[in-house]
Amino acid sequence: MRCVSFDEGIDILKHLHEGPTGGHYQATRTAHKVLCSGFYWPSLFKDAQAFVSRCDSCQRSGNISNKNEMPQNYFLECEIFDLWGIDFVGPLPSSFGNKYILVAVDYVSRYQLSQPAFSPNLNVYQSTRKRVS
């Protein structure tokens, strides 16, 4: 650990509080960042408190209380192959007697499955569903 002068200490505080890796944290967190960086001076914690209390952007933002926070938006978790979109396409020109195509798409992985069909009925849908499951 390197002991630095007061003037160097203020420059280090400024860099670790306002710099690109700063984050405008509280005084104790900023002082601990100074210690983790390998620097020390006798009045480090007192100087960090004074520096943070003079920081304009920290004073403007203040602490955000629970009543001022935005509500949390919950994400729906779904596994691969949980959500499918299934549709019949057609009638199309006949090919080997098939006039329809059953198309199934997994919404999570974008996996696509298609199967030719004679007609858009439940039997074709159920056979494709068994094939996917």
Side-chain angles (χ1 to χ4, degrees):
M1 194 156 308
R2 182 174 162 230
C3 189
V4 295
S5 67
F6 173 77
D7 295 329
E8 284 181 306
I10 296 300
D11 290 338
I12 293 169
L13 276 174
K14 183 176 182 180
H15 178 73
L16 292 175
H17 183 73
E18 298 174 351
T21 59
H24 291 276
Y25 293 113
Q26 296 176 355
T28 53
R29 175 95 185 253
T30 304
H32 284 291
K33 286 176 76 172
V34 171
L35 293 173
C36 288
S37 298
F39 299 105
Y40 176 77
W41 61 96
S43 60
L44 168 63
F45 286 92
K46 185 175 72 172
D47 294 339
Q49 181 66 41
F51 185 83
V52 170
S53 66
R54 287 191 313 264
C55 179
D56 185 50
S57 62
C58 289
Q59 299 307 312
R60 288 180 191 267
S61 66
N63 291 336
I64 298 175
S65 64
N66 288 341
K67 69 177 184 176
N68 294 330
E69 287 182 354
M70 296 279 295
Q72 294 181 356
N73 297 328
Y74 296 101
F75 291 104
L76 176 66
E77 277 189 40
C78 53
E79 295 291 325
I80 195 168
F81 302 123
D82 275 353
L83 298 170
W84 285 87
I86 299 175
D87 198 10
F88 281 98
V89 179
L92 302 169
S94 180
S95 174
F96 298 104
N98 297 312
K99 290 190 174 194
Y100 294 90
I101 299 174
L102 177 66
V103 179
V105 178
D106 176 39
Y107 287 131
V108 178
S109 68
R110 302 291 186 213
Y111 175 74
Q112 301 171 1
L113 182 69
S114 60
Q115 179 177 350
F118 293 107
S119 64
N121 61 22
L122 186 61
N123 294 335
V124 175
Y125 167 74
Q126 287 177 342
S127 68
T128 303
R129 188 167 167 219
K130 287 178 187 174
R131 199 171 120 199
V132 170
S133 297

